[in-house]
Amino acid sequence: MANRPNKTTIPPCPANQMSEMVKDAMWYFLMRGGQQANIPALEEAVNELCHAMMQKTGGQAKYAKSGDVDFKNLDWIMWRIVIEATALVLSGELDKLKGTEDGDDKAQ
């Protein structure tokens, strides 16, 4: 009887299957439209990825220092970058930023 799950137990789902389901859901919401750019979130995610790539612990928890990134989170960090960058493009904000830069170049 100890091996039987109780009614509130969620059946185990392989990590890669769960990851694929989440990616599919995120992509679906992106393609629905109406995104708003969140440049600070994009910048934060890129900085987090840079920190992860430069830390000396290789993402290993037993050697981690305060603020180090666990490499188990790299997929999520990269997806966050992809989603925020896609939202930046689809929202039209990137075009506005490029237009501002083009305008600055012409003024000089």
Side-chain angles (χ1 to χ4, degrees), residues 51-55 57-61 69-75:
H51 176 79
M53 295 295 106
M54 292 186 291
Q55 68 193 22
T57 59
Q60 299 177 52
V69 177
D70 189 336
F71 277 23
K72 292 177 185 175
N73 296 328
L74 283 181
D75 278 348

Side-chain angles (χ1 to χ4, degrees), residues 7-103:
K7 292 180 182 180
T8 60
T9 301
I10 299 171
C13 181
N16 61 342
Q17 183 181 1
M18 180 63 79
S19 180
E20 291 301 318
M21 290 169 40
V22 170
K23 290 174 192 174
D24 288 344
M26 285 190 264
W27 193 250
Y28 168 76
F29 284 110
L30 277 173
M31 293 299 100
R32 288 180 57 197
Q35 288 77 24
Q36 293 194 352
N38 188 344
I39 295 170
L42 176 58
E43 184 177 22
E44 180 183 317
V46 169
N47 288 335
E48 189 174 9
L49 180 63
C50 290
H51 176 79
M53 295 295 106
M54 292 186 291
Q55 68 193 22
K56 306 290 187 214
T57 59
Q60 299 177 52
K62 66 180 179 179
Y63 301 112
K65 298 177 186 139
S66 177
D68 276 358
V69 177
D70 189 336
F71 277 23
K72 292 177 185 175
N73 296 328
L74 283 181
D75 278 348
W76 296 110
I77 294 168
M78 288 188 277
W79 267 102
R80 185 173 166 208
I81 292 169
V82 168
I83 289 168
E84 292 298 344
T86 303
L88 180 64
V89 172
L90 294 177
S91 70
E93 289 297 316
L94 183 62
D95 291 334
K96 291 177 188 174
L97 292 171
K98 286 174 21 181
T100 302
E101 290 176 3
D102 291 344

